[in-house]
Amino acid sequence: MHELSVMQGILEVVLRHAGKSGVSRVEAVNLQVGALSHLREEWMQKYFDHLTRDSVAEGAALRVERVPAVLSCRECGARFEWEGEGSPICPSCASQRADLISGREYTVASLEAV
Ligand SMILES: [Zn+2]
């Protein structure tokens, strides 16, 4: 049920934005989701459809863009992006010891509305 609580949070943001700009209908929501997030898109849309019933965002399409995780190397401090596949390796010093800076978050990047 992780997706459901996430979608509730996203919907709150969407409705707040929509209310502020006085839109009558939200057509699409552009989301950025970190590469390490375990959110599954088919469930996100399903819950979103359920939650937006009778709201200005009813029927809106979710467009999910995956963004790379950002890691900080423990050896040299370099920050680098990681797609989430295999083991992260620092491009500066080839160390495999790194701390996660971001990669599990999700943000509402923009709304398309009328
Ligand atoms: Zn390094």
Side-chain angles (χ1 to χ4, degrees), residues 37-83:
S37 148
H38 295 300
L39 296 173
R40 293 173 55 186
E41 288 170 33
E42 65 266 34
W43 285 103
M44 292 169 75
Q45 182 74 60
K46 197 174 256 189
Y47 286 132
F48 191 73
D49 288 347
H50 173 72
L51 291 169
T52 52
R53 212 164 285 161
D54 299 322
S55 80
V56 292
E58 181 170 7
L62 279 183
R63 299 207 187 107
V64 178
E65 181 196 354
R66 294 268 166 184
V67 294
V70 177
L71 301 182
S72 170
C73 176
R74 281 191 202 169
E75 306 296 335
C76 74
R79 286 195 177 194
F80 59 99
E81 294 189 340
W82 181 47
E83 301 290 344

Side-chain angles (χ1 to χ4, degrees), residues 71 80-91 94-98:
L71 301 182
F80 59 99
E81 294 189 340
W82 181 47
E83 301 290 344
E85 306 274 326
S87 309
I89 295 172
C90 173
S95 167
Q96 293 190 25
R97 289 156 46 85

Side-chain angles (χ1 to χ4, degrees), residues 21-42:
S21 35
V23 305
S24 53
R25 216 171 81 80
V26 177
E27 295 195 321
V29 177
N30 296 311
L31 284 181
Q32 288 185 331
V33 177
L36 304 186
S37 148
H38 295 300
L39 296 173
R40 293 173 55 186
E41 288 170 33
E42 65 266 34

Side-chain angles (χ1 to χ4, degrees), residues 94-106:
S95 167
Q96 293 190 25
R97 289 156 46 85
D99 294 314
L100 188 66
I101 303 293
S102 68
R104 294 205 180 96
E105 71 295 319
Y106 47 88

